[in-house]
Amino acid sequence: QLSHLPEHIREKVHNHPCYSEEAHHYFARMHVAVAPACNIQCHYCNRKYDCANESRPGVVSEVLSPEQAVKKVKAVAATIPQMTVLGIAGPGDPLANPQRTLETFRMLSEQAPDIKLCVSTNGLALPECVEELAKHNIDHVTITINCVDPEIGAKIYPWIFWNNKRIRGVKAARILIEQQQKGLEMLVARGILVKVNSVLIPGVNDEHLKEVSKIVKAKGAFLHNVMPLIAEPEHGTFYGVMGQRSPEPEELQDLQDACAGDMNMMRHCRQCRADAVGMLGEDRGDEFTLDKIESME
Ligand code: CLF
Ligand code: SF4
């Protein structure tokens, strides 16, 4: 599966469980939930839970300080040797908490240089962070791009927080889209691998995601991960409450197939929690709660 890739990319993905389908059978990832705040609102999010851009809504992660996160990474690395990748994916947006996220990466790149660093973001604050991410050896960035058309964006994002102001509607979506595309271009120009996540929302962006896939591929994104919207009314999200349905498995697969002509598609995503630990689809987070880590020392 990886043989068609240039050597320098193969080297970066061969042990990353999300970027390589093969690798997810052998290598594990962990997330540290150091990023509580968010700078936008998505209609599929309930702020009490983890960032649904990357993960399954409906679960809450314990927020860690950067120091606690580093402690946890070391404890997990000592117990799970297959753990090759550390990701920051929430519970809010990692780059809306730049100090906490970047401090965690800075400490880890110094203290655990063999672990690959990965981050997932909605992209709003990405352009201003690219320089710093590159400095700390972050090789893998995921941007959640649900649209390239602001009219569609306005149906997904009610507002963004931008330059100390709340901005709404089409204007907000336009800024978010511009920032995502600019961030994507800047990362590719620096040789950082970019995966694009998209949330498939039936009747809102289902047809449009084919266009998104073409555009992000043309700009140099490496992999496209179309994930199903999870809209349970009990999660209290806007979509859930409004009765927006989730896609059927066949709808997801048809869209992935339609995009696959243009783009490498990820089909093994497990919509992990912001504090997930272990192989994809496995969650050993309970073995590494803070009190347990403290008692390991
Ligand atoms: Fe984590 Fe995401 Fe990095 Fe992977 S998860 S920050 S790219 S290390 Fe992976 Fe989990 Fe899917 Fe994310 S299976 S939700 S794609
Ligand atoms: Fe929620 Fe994530 Fe969207 Fe922020 S980016 S509103 S945390 S789903």
Side-chain angles (χ1 to χ4, degrees):
Q1 185 224 4
L2 300 177
S3 51
H4 66 288
L5 297 171
E7 179 62 31
H8 70 283
I9 296 189
R10 235 181 317 168
E11 202 277 313
K12 281 186 187 167
V13 299
H14 82 279
N15 62 356
H16 192 304
C18 304
Y19 280 72
S20 154
E21 177 147 19
E22 271 161 39
H24 95 278
H25 299 293
Y26 308 105
F27 297 102
R29 54 77 186 99
M30 75 175 286
H31 290 162
V32 284
V34 294
C38 191
N39 48 6
I40 70 173
Q41 178 69 58
C42 306
H43 273 325
Y44 47 74
C45 181
N46 175 340
R47 292 305 182 77
K48 282 201 303 232
Y49 302 125
D50 288 351
C51 175
N53 275 334
E54 177 84 357
S55 59
R56 188 169 286 278
V59 286
V60 191
S61 299
E62 181 184 31
V63 175
L64 305 182
S65 69
E67 292 74 22
Q68 290 170 324
V70 171
K71 230 184 226 181
K72 181 168 176 177
V73 174
K74 288 180 174 169
V76 172
T79 315
I80 308 179
Q82 305 91 321
M83 200 275 288
T84 47
V85 178
L86 177 279
I88 301 184
D93 185 76
L95 302 183
N97 304 259
Q99 268 117 10
R100 299 172 62 88
T101 295
L102 295 169
E103 178 62 7
T104 307
F105 282 146
R106 189 190 63 72
M107 287 195 282
L108 286 171
S109 62
E110 282 173 17
Q111 298 178 36
D114 294 339
I115 296 177
K116 283 180 190 296
L117 303 176
C118 190
V119 64
S120 165
T121 176
N122 62 41
L124 183 63
L126 181 56
E128 72 209 48
C129 295
V130 167
E131 192 69 26
E132 279 288 307
L133 292 173
K135 235 193 247 169
H136 301 313
N137 275 337
I138 283 83
D139 263 346
H140 303 81
V141 174
T142 296
I143 316 173
T144 300
I145 301 182
N146 295 318
C147 56
V148 288
D149 173 348
E151 299 286 338
I152 295 177
K155 297 182 188 154
I156 303 172
Y157 308 104
W159 54 260
I160 65 170
F161 200 71
W162 177 248
N163 291 340
N164 300 317
K165 280 197 296 276
R166 199 175 300 268
I167 300 176
R168 296 175 192 276
V170 175
K171 192 175 166 202
R174 184 172 295 119
I175 295 169
L176 177 63
I177 290 166
E178 279 170 11
Q179 290 291 100
Q180 291 171 337
Q181 297 296 322
K182 187 171 164 197
L184 167 59
E185 289 162 19
M186 290 171 74
L187 291 168
V188 170
R190 286 189 156 271
I192 297 174
L193 287 184
V194 183
K195 169 163 80 59
V196 168
N197 280 359
S198 302
V199 182
L200 167 55
I201 310 159
V204 177
N205 69 350
D206 38 3
E207 280 304 309
H208 180 60
L209 284 182
K210 294 175 203 165
E211 168 86 5
V212 170
S213 212
K214 276 202 184 88
I215 290 177
V216 299
K217 184 194 179 185
K219 292 199 176 173
F222 170 75
L223 190 63
H224 192 192
N225 174 24
V226 180
M227 308 181 299
L229 170 74
I230 302 174
E232 308 291 340
E234 61 271 25
H235 292 157
T237 65
F238 176 82
Y239 280 149
V241 170
M242 297 306 281
Q244 167 69 48
R245 69 176 178 89
S246 303
E248 300 297 332
E250 309 79 68
E251 286 178 284
L252 178 65
Q253 201 184 328
D254 287 352
L255 183 67
Q256 287 172 335
D257 291 346
C259 296
D262 291 302
M263 186 78 202
N264 290 325
M265 301 302 290
M266 176 176 187
R267 296 177 192 251
H268 62 286
C269 178
R270 300 298 169 85
Q271 294 180 276
C272 316
R273 296 173 55 143
D275 60 0
V277 176
M279 308 293 281
L280 295 193
E282 174 185 73
D283 197 351
R284 298 177 57 180
D286 288 352
E287 294 170 43
F288 302 97
T289 53
L290 267 187
D291 46 336
K292 289 187 184 149
I293 291 165
E294 308 281 353
S295 70
M296 281 178 198
E297 288 181 320

